[in-house]
Amino acid sequence: MSSLALINEFLGQPPNASSHGYQIDHIIEFCHWFMGALFLGWSAFFIFVLIRFRKGRHPAADHQGVKSGISTHLEFSVVLIEAVLLLGFAIPLWAKRVNQFPPGKEALLVHVVGQQFSWNFHLPGPDGQFGRRDVSFVNNSNPIGLDPNDPAGKDDIVTSGELHVPVDRPVITELSSKDVIHDFFLPDMRVAADAIPGSLIPMWFKPIKTGNYEVVCGQLCGLGHYGMKGMVVVDEPADYQTWLKERAELAGTQNAPAATQRPPGEPPVGPTPGTVPPPGAPKTENPAAKPAQPAPTPSQL
């Protein structure tokens, strides 16, 4: 890290681990040094005004104001520098990130589904196709609602809280949410984007260092927001292939029952004694609720 970047390190920014991160760091460095210069400059001017226009030197106020144009030129210079930062650096870098995605064949595509308060990762299997997802299939063992009847999803890999990616390969994440708005924030990769229910928000980065990198939620999403964390593990290509193989074997041993198949021991669909039928349902006779037959009288015997 260069000497100019020491201010980022002092403020607690983690080392960059992505190919584009140095551009973000340069803008942040310049902004911090520029704000520091403004702080020192305006502080010096404030002290000068307190001494120059103290009551002992000017017992009577001068209502004509400042006659020099220096302050106007200083203010214009500050606005000009800020405009250059915004129009010349920040907006072009942002446009490059959102418009120039890597080719799909060389990038790894991952679906990221946020929920209160965890991250779910969905990768395609060897066929390269994502299985269909539907909210009606969501349960504790199927957090993203993967359709068990879709052949394309039989070999898909779904993990919770941890994602493995290969180093030096672009990664495209398509973000969505099951409940509220979350924010998928990777500080070490210098990327962040909102995960919005009903939308797929694309985002990409290219890791250049192996290691474990924390994922946090950058959007206040509820009482457990502080604990909504995950991990992105950047592996060497061989280690990544080993992880894929292990996850594929694990997924093959977890054969959940189909959506229409009820687990063993669970009662069949329909009203059970003691339940209230839904409005409009036909009335069914409950044997347990039948009135007891009166005892026969002596005349009836």
Side-chain angles (χ1 to χ4, degrees):
M1 184 174 290
S2 64
S3 58
L4 290 179
L6 289 177
I7 190 170
N8 289 349
E9 186 177 7
F10 174 75
L11 294 175
Q13 183 170 304
N16 170 53
S18 66
S19 60
H20 75 281
Y22 72 94
Q23 298 173 308
I24 306 294
D25 289 349
H26 287 170
I27 293 180
I28 295 177
E29 292 160 17
F30 188 86
C31 288
H32 283 153
W33 285 112
F34 180 59
M35 288 187 294
L38 285 179
F39 173 77
L40 294 177
W42 290 123
S43 298
F45 177 74
F46 177 66
I47 295 173
F48 167 76
V49 169
L50 290 179
I51 298 175
R52 176 68 174 78
F53 300 101
R54 63 187 184 276
K55 182 178 180 181
R57 184 170 180 177
H58 296 276
D62 182 3
H63 299 284
Q64 292 184 359
V66 178
K67 300 178 181 179
S68 173
I70 296 179
S71 61
T72 302
H73 297 311
L74 289 175
E75 292 173 3
F76 178 77
S77 300
V78 171
V79 172
L80 180 62
I81 294 176
E82 293 177 349
V84 170
L85 281 174
L86 180 64
L87 301 177
F89 295 94
I91 291 181
L93 179 58
W94 170 82
K96 183 179 180 181
R97 298 300 306 164
V98 299
N99 295 327
Q100 299 181 14
F101 276 70
K105 292 184 178 181
E106 71 175 68
L108 173 66
L109 181 60
V110 183
H111 288 174
V112 180
V113 182
Q115 68 179 71
Q116 295 175 314
F117 298 95
S118 62
W119 296 104
N120 302 295
F121 305 101
H122 180 199
L123 294 87
D127 60 357
Q129 297 181 358
F130 285 95
R132 191 177 74 89
R133 299 203 312 258
D134 191 275
V135 67
S136 61
F137 298 111
V138 173
N139 54 45
N140 291 335
S141 60
N142 187 5
I144 65 172
L146 194 62
D147 187 350
N149 302 314
D150 184 10
K154 297 295 184 181
D155 59 351
D156 285 8
I157 296 175
V158 179
T159 64
S160 180
E162 184 175 287
L163 171 67
H164 286 241
V165 297
V167 69
D168 293 327
R169 182 180 177 185
V171 179
I172 300 177
T173 60
E174 292 186 345
L175 311 175
S176 61
S177 172
K178 291 167 53 178
D179 35 49
V180 300
I181 298 178
H182 302 281
D183 185 87
F184 188 76
F185 180 29
L186 264 171
D188 298 89
M189 302 296 170
R190 308 295 193 261
V191 289
D194 284 347
I196 302 175
S199 301
L200 281 180
I201 310 298
M203 181 186 75
W204 74 279
F205 60 94
K206 182 179 179 181
I208 57 175
K209 296 179 182 178
T210 59
N212 299 343
Y213 302 103
E214 188 178 49
V215 181
V216 298
C217 180
Q219 190 79 262
L220 184 60
C221 57
L223 294 177
H225 164 71
Y226 68 94
M228 187 170 175
K229 298 179 181 181
M231 188 68 65
V232 170
V233 181
V234 181
D235 295 325
E236 294 291 345
D239 296 333
Y240 174 68
Q241 293 300 324
T242 301
W243 177 81
L244 282 180
K245 184 178 179 180
E246 292 175 353
R247 293 304 307 184
E249 293 175 353
L250 181 61
T253 60
Q254 297 174 346
N255 296 321
T260 56
Q261 179 183 350
R262 305 189 69 78
E266 186 171 332
V269 180
T272 56
T275 62
V276 179
K283 294 183 179 180
T284 57
E285 188 176 7
N286 189 350
K290 288 184 177 180
Q293 296 293 335
T297 60
S299 62
Q300 294 176 334
L301 294 176

